[in-house]
Amino acid sequence: MSAQILIIEDEEKISRLLEMELNFEGYVTGKAVSGIEGLEKALIGGWTVILLDIMLPKLSGIEVLRRLRQAQVSTPIILLTARDTTSDIVHGLDLGANDYVKKPFKMEELLARIRTCIRNQQLITSLRSPKEGESDVIEFDDLSIYRLNRTVMRQNVRIDLTPKEFDLLLYLVRHRNQVQTREQLINHVWGYEFVGDTNIVDVYIRYLRKKIDYPFKGQLIQTCRGVGYCIKEGETRED
């Protein structure tokens, strides 16, 4: 079955070019010309990748992204941006975008990023799903992770995580007691070669600690200064 790509872009020339090139590569495409239309189509589901312009009429691309991630839509999203500031790019990545390309972009580069998104999404899906004969539940210390329904419990208290927070926690637990560098976490959790500030990892570690560690006794997420992070059995909290 061909991958299906939703193009949310209001510039007709760019939208048409993307449609023609993607169709030529064998992808099935859908189009939307405004943020509202794009959000509605994206929420229907069935898309393999979403190409999302940041500057859209009626509803900005950033707001579309925020609402999709809030609705737990985990489809890979590549931002199309004419903006060149690191803060704009990092903001989009913080909200859950998987990658970005700057306009004007080379089609070969965009196609490569699409292939990478698809490949990494397949990898992440396989990591989330239990293998045959393997339990759905991963237990570590007093933490329980239910992969199929993406639920996390600690000391019998349910913890609500965003999709990216869940993926980060799952990866750390799968590699318990092993220090993971920021670059490793970026590549395996975000699923692409991140170009820029790896501060996004620190931001999400803080998010996780507020939910996983601070309300409970014992700190699971440990910092290895100058290297990265790991998860270990609960230790005395670092203040």
Side-chain angles (χ1 to χ4, degrees):
M1 181 178 178
S2 299
Q4 301 185 62
I5 300 178
L6 176 61
I7 305 164
I8 308 177
E9 168 64 67
D10 65 317
E11 293 186 47
E12 177 59 30
K13 286 185 178 180
I14 295 177
S15 178
R16 180 58 182 157
L17 174 64
L18 288 170
E19 181 182 41
M20 290 176 60
E21 292 286 349
L22 292 171
N23 289 163
F24 180 78
E25 293 294 326
Y27 297 113
V28 176
T29 56
K31 295 196 299 182
V33 297
S34 73
I36 291 177
E37 182 187 10
L39 178 62
E40 291 174 348
K41 288 188 175 181
L43 287 172
I44 292 173
W47 305 105
T48 310
V49 175
I50 297 172
L51 303 181
L52 177 61
D53 184 30
I54 287 182
M55 301 294 289
L56 290 169
K58 298 184 180 179
L59 199 66
S60 73
I62 291 296
E63 182 60 19
V64 171
L65 170 64
R66 188 189 68 79
R67 295 190 189 188
L68 288 174
R69 294 309 190 222
Q70 190 175 51
Q72 305 294 303
V73 174
S74 59
T75 305
I77 295 175
I78 300 175
L79 296 177
L80 308 177
T81 175
R83 298 180 176 181
D84 196 25
T85 62
T86 300
S87 60
D88 288 329
I89 293 167
V90 170
H91 183 48
L93 295 171
D94 282 348
L95 287 174
N98 296 74
D99 205 346
Y100 67 91
V101 291
K102 297 176 185 177
K103 297 178 180 178
F105 50 81
K106 294 182 179 179
M107 187 57 62
E108 293 81 3
E109 178 187 0
L110 178 59
L111 290 171
R113 290 176 182 268
I114 289 171
R115 290 192 296 270
T116 298
C117 271
I118 294 173
R119 187 166 57 249
N120 287 327
Q121 186 68 9
Q122 292 170 342
L123 174 62
I124 290 171
T125 299
S126 68
L127 289 175
R128 289 174 183 166
S129 303
K131 298 178 177 63
E132 186 176 353
E134 184 181 27
S135 173
D136 164 48
V137 185
I138 295 179
E139 294 185 334
F140 177 71
D141 199 273
D142 55 359
L143 188 72
S144 298
I145 302 175
Y146 299 82
R147 284 174 290 184
L148 292 181
N149 62 11
R150 299 175 66 77
T151 300
V152 175
M153 305 281 290
R154 186 170 185 191
Q155 297 177 14
N156 296 318
V157 176
R158 176 168 175 159
I159 302 169
D160 293 323
L161 300 179
T162 66
K164 195 57 65 182
E165 290 167 355
F166 182 91
D167 291 340
L168 177 57
L169 177 64
L170 181 59
Y171 185 81
L172 287 170
V173 170
R174 279 180 173 271
H175 298 83
R176 62 191 73 180
N177 301 316
Q178 301 174 30
V179 177
Q180 301 295 311
T181 67
R182 290 170 178 81
E183 289 75 17
Q184 285 175 307
L185 293 171
I186 282 287
N187 292 336
H188 291 282
V189 177
W190 275 259
Y192 60 92
E193 289 291 342
F194 182 80
V195 179
D197 191 355
T198 55
N199 179 60
I200 189 173
V201 173
D202 303 323
V203 171
Y204 272 84
I205 288 290
R206 287 201 298 272
Y207 293 162
L208 268 184
R209 279 178 167 156
K210 286 180 181 178
K211 297 179 179 182
I212 296 296
D213 278 340
Y214 295 162
F216 306 95
K217 291 183 178 179
Q219 178 174 312
L220 298 177
I221 302 172
Q222 306 293 321
T223 301
C224 182
R225 299 193 184 282
V227 181
Y229 300 97
C230 70
I231 195 163
K232 298 180 180 180
E233 291 185 351
E235 299 181 6
T236 302
R237 180 171 299 117
E238 299 173 359
D239 295 323

